[in-house]
Amino acid sequence: MSLRPWFVGLITLCLASAAQARSPKDDDDDHAAPEMMAPIRMAPKPAMRMKSMGATPGGAQDIDYARDRINAGEVPHEKTFTAEGLLSQHDLPLPSARACKQILCLTSAAAKADLIAQPEVRYLAQLGFASNLDPKKWKREPLNLVAVVDKSGSMSGGPLSTVKASLRRIAWQMQKQDQLSIVLYGDRSHVHMAPTRLSQRAKVLRAIDAIQSAGSTAMEEGLKVGFSVAEQSRQRFVGNTRVMLFTDERPNVGATDKDSFMGMARSASRHGIGMTTVGVGTQFGAELATAVSSVRGGNLFFFPDRDKMEERFKKDFDTMVTELAHDMKLTVRPNAGYELVGLYGVPGDMVKRTKDGGLSMTIETIFLSHDKGGIYFAFKPAGAGSLPPKSGPIATARLSYVDTQKKKQSDALGFSEVRGKLPLGLARGLLLVDEITALKKASVLHRQQNKTEEAYQVIRALKKKLSDTRVSGLGKELALVQKLDKTLTKLSGHQGEAPTQGAIARDAVSGLPR
């Protein structure tokens, strides 16, 4: 597919904008007091690590709540582990034999698999996401952002301090032509700062510093005010409009009427207003991730502390608010001799079985990313037989989506086994899928079935795999599993109290000296 005129125009515009761009200290109104600017102002922008941009599905963008609970010595509920969240935290590049000439590029590959929690799986296939946008030339469109902030009593102290620090980070990430509004809710919902251009950055920073905690929580009222500000301000703004909710309360996604969390999000999405939900100290599990994924323009993040939040906004703010494609309809059908037995990277509630044993799903939004994303599919032999001869693809994927110019694109890809060295995205994906399924399995065994010993054995096997691998970029996953292994070691009785010096070793059952 050749470069379309709109894309050539986009690159030309980006180059012109970059030539005119100045550093924050060139802003006319950026002479705020040093104490307001010192923590953030001089931080350098992160260096790009690749020649092209990536893409990732909307919905959960991390499993940081589960990480936080594991580091606290707990075994989290299985719903806190979402495959799409874990995969979104990693770069999963999958090269293609075709040149990437579209705003959204897709590729596919498959490899043999040996999963701890699903021993029946024989192959894992990856559908990869990328984009032909050049990170050195790309510049996001002007942004009209409405920050809706929970300032209730439960947010006092660390949580609200984290949100204020992140808003300051965002204020420095935004450009002069961008616009920011702040809506607060607690004892009442009100506009704390009306839509303000970032050419008045000092005014924005003063408004952020003035936020104080007080009152009870009325999220729906806060969102109602926030979406109203977004709707009114977008009519006079050339660019994208987005609401960003900061809260320590888990939204109620059961209600879907027009005044509910989901009702307002869906209504706003029909007007082109996306929503990013940011959790501070709250559980964002599979139910919320699924609900957010089902809304056009929706994504979800959890930040356990200020450093993590500032780091993520500093690195990814521009991409986490940039929608790349919409309404992706994907159907995957296994070929003869194979059975599709696993899907990782899309919430299960968005997926349906087809009559021929395949899966169909709709992914509302694909976001731009500095990392390349992916969805993975697991296959086993059909029935009780062995795998068929390797004479063709394991399965075929057919998809369509609407690009940023509202044009419908379509493609068809086969999942064929890779011969020789695996591409990095597929190699990482094999271990990440192994990790997320083993974590879920261990949680179910320990919390629901009271089989802590079996949970311990699952995590011990996962720890060995991650310890032995030569695949790069998985150090934090090994550290996470080691921490959970330590917890389950204690809970399963494999680590008792250390014997006192000089103590006589005794038989655990009879009590007799050994």
Side-chain angles (χ1 to χ4, degrees):
M1 179 178 183
S2 62
L3 288 175
R4 295 184 180 275
W6 68 265
F7 181 69
V8 176
L10 173 64
I11 294 301
T12 303
L13 177 61
C14 292
L15 289 170
S17 299
Q20 296 173 1
R22 296 187 296 172
S23 65
K25 62 185 178 183
D26 292 327
D27 286 355
D28 297 335
D29 196 18
D30 287 349
H31 298 291
E35 63 269 20
M36 287 171 47
M37 300 187 295
I40 297 176
R41 179 170 184 170
M42 302 307 295
K45 288 189 175 182
M48 298 296 183
R49 304 182 306 279
M50 61 185 68
K51 295 180 180 180
S52 63
M53 303 288 278
T56 185
Q61 299 298 302
D62 58 62
I63 60 163
D64 283 349
Y65 178 78
R67 293 184 194 278
D68 185 61
R69 294 299 83 210
I70 288 175
N71 288 328
E74 299 177 11
V75 181
H77 194 281
E78 74 274 7
K79 288 186 177 181
T80 64
F81 299 108
T82 60
E84 58 273 20
L86 177 62
L87 295 173
S88 293
Q89 292 190 288
H90 292 271
D91 188 17
L92 305 169
L94 189 62
S96 173
R98 305 179 297 177
C100 178
K101 296 182 179 180
Q102 298 179 189
I103 196 76
L104 178 63
C105 306
L106 300 121
T107 188
S108 61
K112 290 181 179 177
D114 178 20
L115 303 183
I116 296 167
Q118 291 183 274
E120 73 278 11
V121 172
R122 299 285 293 279
Y123 282 97
L124 192 72
Q126 178 186 356
L127 179 67
F129 294 93
S131 173
N132 65 345
L133 292 177
D134 185 339
K136 294 180 180 179
K137 299 177 181 178
W138 174 79
K139 184 179 178 65
R140 66 163 169 76
E141 291 187 21
L143 176 66
N144 176 32
L145 182 67
V146 181
V148 179
V149 179
D150 180 353
K151 70 174 185 71
S152 61
S154 63
M155 289 284 289
S156 64
L160 191 58
S161 175
T162 296
V163 172
K164 290 169 69 172
S166 70
L167 286 174
R168 287 194 291 270
R169 176 73 261 168
I170 288 172
W172 284 111
Q173 295 289 115
M174 297 178 80
Q175 302 298 317
K176 277 185 164 185
Q177 69 271 25
D178 295 331
Q179 183 169 274
L180 177 65
S181 312
I182 301 176
V183 171
L184 304 180
Y185 68 92
D187 51 353
R188 65 189 181 95
S189 301
H190 66 284
V191 179
H192 176 71
M193 185 182 75
T196 304
R197 295 279 180 169
L198 267 295
S199 56
Q200 304 180 65
R201 204 182 310 268
K203 177 181 177 180
V204 170
L205 293 170
R206 287 193 296 270
I208 293 170
D209 286 344
I211 299 173
Q212 295 182 357
S213 175
S216 56
T217 302
M219 180 184 294
E220 285 76 12
E221 287 301 314
L223 281 173
K224 187 179 295 185
V225 174
F227 280 121
S228 176
V229 171
E231 178 61 37
Q232 293 174 26
S233 60
R234 81 176 181 90
Q235 297 175 22
R236 302 182 298 276
F237 187 86
V238 179
N240 293 325
T241 295
R242 192 167 196 83
V243 168
M244 186 171 286
L245 170 66
F246 295 85
T247 182
D248 70 342
E249 178 189 13
R250 184 173 184 178
N252 174 21
V253 296
T256 57
D257 59 276
K258 65 182 181 65
D259 293 326
S260 68
F261 173 85
M262 292 304 302
M264 285 185 282
R266 288 201 176 101
S267 177
S269 72
R270 289 192 287 270
H271 297 151
I273 301 173
M275 183 175 71
T276 296
T277 304
V278 178
V280 185
T282 189
Q283 176 180 332
F284 277 11
E287 182 184 10
L288 179 59
T290 299
V292 170
S293 298
S294 69
V295 178
R296 186 185 179 103
N299 55 3
L300 174 70
F301 299 84
F302 170 81
F303 299 108
D305 55 52
R306 170 175 172 164
D307 290 344
K308 290 278 177 54
M309 183 180 280
E310 284 194 42
E311 178 185 356
R312 188 63 182 268
F313 280 125
K314 175 183 170 183
K315 173 180 176 286
D316 293 328
F317 175 74
D318 285 349
T319 55
M320 65 196 290
V321 298
T322 300
E323 300 167 33
L324 199 61
H326 297 107
D327 304 328
M328 174 177 282
K329 300 185 185 302
L330 171 64
T331 301
V332 176
R333 291 186 171 88
N335 288 338
Y338 298 94
E339 183 178 344
L340 183 48
V341 292
L343 167 63
Y344 322 93
V346 177
D349 291 356
M350 300 170 62
V351 182
K352 296 180 180 179
R353 281 281 189 184
T354 60
K355 293 181 179 180
D356 56 3
L359 296 174
S360 66
M361 63 211 77
T362 298
I363 302 170
E364 290 290 339
T365 314
I366 303 293
F367 284 84
L368 191 63
S369 172
H370 290 310
D371 295 330
K372 295 179 172 67
I375 300 174
Y376 295 82
F377 304 87
F379 299 88
K380 75 169 189 177
S386 59
L387 288 171
K390 301 172 186 176
S391 57
I394 295 169
T396 301
R398 296 187 181 278
L399 63 148
S400 64
Y401 62 89
V402 178
D403 66 20
T404 51
Q405 299 302 299
K406 302 187 184 303
K407 294 182 179 179
K408 190 171 183 179
Q409 308 286 352
S410 61
D411 203 354
L413 301 167
F415 294 105
S416 298
E417 183 182 357
V418 174
R419 304 302 174 92
K421 184 178 180 179
L422 298 183
L424 183 58
L426 188 53
R428 281 182 181 161
L430 283 165
L431 287 163
L432 291 171
V433 169
D434 215 354
E435 177 186 357
I436 200 68
T437 52
L439 289 172
K440 284 177 170 288
K441 179 71 172 179
S443 178
V444 170
L445 287 169
H446 170 70
R447 294 175 63 96
Q448 295 185 21
Q449 301 177 8
N450 198 28
K451 296 179 179 179
T452 303
E453 170 64 24
E454 292 184 31
Y456 163 79
Q457 296 296 342
V458 167
I459 296 304
R460 181 54 59 98
L462 177 60
K463 185 177 77 167
K464 186 177 188 313
K465 270 196 174 184
L466 290 173
S467 298
D468 293 345
T469 186
R470 294 184 179 181
V471 177
S472 64
L474 300 176
K476 69 178 180 180
E477 305 307 336
L478 174 59
L480 180 75
V481 172
Q482 287 173 331
K483 179 63 178 177
L484 183 57
D485 174 68
K486 185 176 180 180
T487 298
L488 285 171
T489 296
K490 292 179 180 179
L491 294 176
S492 61
H494 285 275
Q495 180 178 307
E497 296 182 3
T500 58
Q501 188 173 3
I504 299 173
R506 298 179 181 273
D507 182 89
V509 177
S510 68
L512 297 176
R514 289 180 178 172

